[in-house]
Amino acid sequence: RMTKKILRDICKEQKLYWTPYLNDTLYLHYKGFDRLENLEEYTGLKCLWLEGNCLSKIENLEALTELRCLYLQINLISKIENLEPLKKLDSLNISNNYVKTIEKLSCLKVLQTLQIAHNKLQTVEDIQHLQECPSISVLDLSHNNLSDPNIITVLETMPNLHVLNLMGNEVIRKIANYRKTLIVRLKQLTYLDDRPVFPKDRACAEAWAVGGSEAEKAEREKWETKERKKIQDSINALAAIRRKAEENKRQK
């Protein structure tokens, strides 16, 4: 049990403050806890680690109004709930749980990072709530059971989505020209799955969307020419500096 005494003992062991409210970080991961309780004195917490326990419910966090980061990965949680008091929460990791539906996150107005990999999300309806979470910029949906290409219609309504991970979902195989399609439709994307989205990638994808593979090829050649010119200009500038240095040396 997460008793007050055990919490204090953990603080002593980790060389944290013995006075609960003075701590801004608390490490409670891999302790075997099956219930969240007795945290009401830890009002100064900004980061709470609860990874690798046996928690089945998100509860009793009302006093943690300063919390910015909440790590709940590798537990037994099946429902997102009771996060309303956490108005300053910026990052939530609930990966490796049993969540079937994304819900009750719209109350978190500054939430930027949502990691919900390795859960039980399947349908468009299961992620529909993301439309009500415009602040999210980093979204990890990897290794769920998403298979409907229409999930893109939800993702493209997220105005600040910069980083997206869909690896390990069947939907990747069902979206034709997957990477190019997502780059074109998700206008703010700078990182997709395991690779960055560079300006060149976006320009080529958008050319492909307008004129097919020929337009993409032409755009790619344009960028490559520009890159070669940039390299040549750098070489020429370096050679000019060297020549000038040699000339100054001769004059001396």
Side-chain angles (χ1 to χ4, degrees), residues 121-133:
L121 305 173
Q122 292 186 33
T123 67
V124 176
E125 289 72 28
D126 293 342
I127 69 162
Q128 197 92 40
H129 182 64
L130 290 170
Q131 293 179 319
E132 299 172 43
C133 307

Side-chain angles (χ1 to χ4, degrees), residues 200 220-234:
K200 176 183 174 181
R220 194 172 299 282
E221 285 172 359
K222 193 193 300 181
W223 275 80
E224 285 167 2
T225 301
K226 199 188 299 180
E227 285 164 3
R228 280 195 297 271
K229 183 180 182 305
K230 202 173 177 181
I231 292 166
Q232 191 59 51
D233 288 348
S234 296

Side-chain angles (χ1 to χ4, degrees), residues 50-108:
L50 291 159
E51 175 185 2
N53 283 289
C54 304
L55 302 171
S56 58
K57 189 173 183 182
I58 305 172
E59 59 184 339
N60 299 322
L61 297 174
E62 295 83 3
L64 310 186
T65 55
E66 295 299 313
L67 206 62
R68 266 69 163 180
C69 302
L70 179 58
Y71 299 107
L72 287 163
Q73 64 268 37
I74 315 176
N75 274 287
L76 304 170
I77 296 163
S78 58
K79 193 174 182 184
I80 300 172
E81 59 186 337
N82 300 321
L83 295 173
E84 290 81 4
L86 311 182
K87 301 298 182 188
K88 296 181 181 179
L89 198 68
D90 170 87
S91 182
L92 173 63
N93 190 337
I94 196 166
S95 297
N96 296 88
N97 276 284
Y98 297 89
V99 176
K100 293 181 179 178
T101 306
I102 296 176
E103 59 185 333
K104 297 180 181 174
L105 291 177
S106 57
C107 57
L108 305 175

Side-chain angles (χ1 to χ4, degrees), residues 5-246:
K5 181 183 182 306
I6 283 176
L7 289 173
R8 283 200 197 91
D9 289 345
I10 289 170
C11 288
K12 289 177 188 176
E13 176 193 322
Q14 296 174 357
K15 296 183 169 54
L16 301 174
Y17 293 108
W18 294 9
T19 305
Y21 70 84
L22 293 176
N23 292 295
D24 60 7
T25 301
L26 189 56
Y27 302 100
L28 302 177
H29 49 306
Y30 297 102
K31 300 293 183 187
F33 294 130
D34 63 2
R35 189 178 177 206
L36 274 170
E37 55 188 335
N38 293 311
L39 288 166
E40 56 272 7
E41 294 178 15
Y42 292 81
T43 53
L45 284 185
K46 292 182 179 175
C47 186
L48 179 57
W49 290 83
L50 291 159
E51 175 185 2
N53 283 289
C54 304
L55 302 171
S56 58
K57 189 173 183 182
I58 305 172
E59 59 184 339
N60 299 322
L61 297 174
E62 295 83 3
L64 310 186
T65 55
E66 295 299 313
L67 206 62
R68 266 69 163 180
C69 302
L70 179 58
Y71 299 107
L72 287 163
Q73 64 268 37
I74 315 176
N75 274 287
L76 304 170
I77 296 163
S78 58
K79 193 174 182 184
I80 300 172
E81 59 186 337
N82 300 321
L83 295 173
E84 290 81 4
L86 311 182
K87 301 298 182 188
K88 296 181 181 179
L89 198 68
D90 170 87
S91 182
L92 173 63
N93 190 337
I94 196 166
S95 297
N96 296 88
N97 276 284
Y98 297 89
V99 176
K100 293 181 179 178
T101 306
I102 296 176
E103 59 185 333
K104 297 180 181 174
L105 291 177
S106 57
C107 57
L108 305 175
K109 301 300 182 186
V110 296
L111 184 68
Q112 290 192 39
T113 300
L114 174 61
Q115 293 167 274
I116 191 164
H118 292 276
N119 274 278
K120 303 295 179 184
L121 305 173
Q122 292 186 33
T123 67
V124 176
E125 289 72 28
D126 293 342
I127 69 162
Q128 197 92 40
H129 182 64
L130 290 170
Q131 293 179 319
E132 299 172 43
C133 307
S135 61
I136 292 176
S137 63
V138 177
L139 177 61
D140 185 357
L141 292 168
S142 62
H143 302 284
N144 277 276
N145 301 313
L146 296 166
S147 60
D148 189 343
N150 285 322
I151 65 167
I152 301 177
T153 60
V154 174
L155 299 173
E156 66 186 350
T157 64
M158 300 176 71
N160 293 300
L161 187 59
H162 288 88
V163 177
L164 173 65
N165 192 343
L166 285 171
M167 292 171 74
N169 285 286
E170 192 184 337
V171 71
I172 286 179
R173 293 192 294 274
K174 292 192 173 183
I175 298 172
N177 299 290
Y178 165 74
R179 190 169 176 85
K180 285 185 278 196
T181 298
L182 261 70
I183 290 171
V184 168
R185 292 185 62 176
L186 307 182
K187 302 299 182 187
Q188 306 301 322
L189 216 56
T190 57
Y191 212 103
L192 176 59
D193 296 338
D194 56 350
R195 279 188 286 154
V197 177
F198 294 111
K200 176 183 174 181
D201 299 328
R202 180 164 296 285
C204 291
E206 287 174 353
W208 165 81
V210 173
S213 55
E214 285 301 314
E216 180 190 1
K217 185 181 175 184
E219 186 66 28
R220 194 172 299 282
E221 285 172 359
K222 193 193 300 181
W223 275 80
E224 285 167 2
T225 301
K226 199 188 299 180
E227 285 164 3
R228 280 195 297 271
K229 183 180 182 305
K230 202 173 177 181
I231 292 166
Q232 191 59 51
D233 288 348
S234 296
I235 292 168
N236 292 342
L238 191 59
I241 291 167
R242 192 173 294 155
R243 280 195 304 273
K244 190 172 181 182
E246 287 170 358

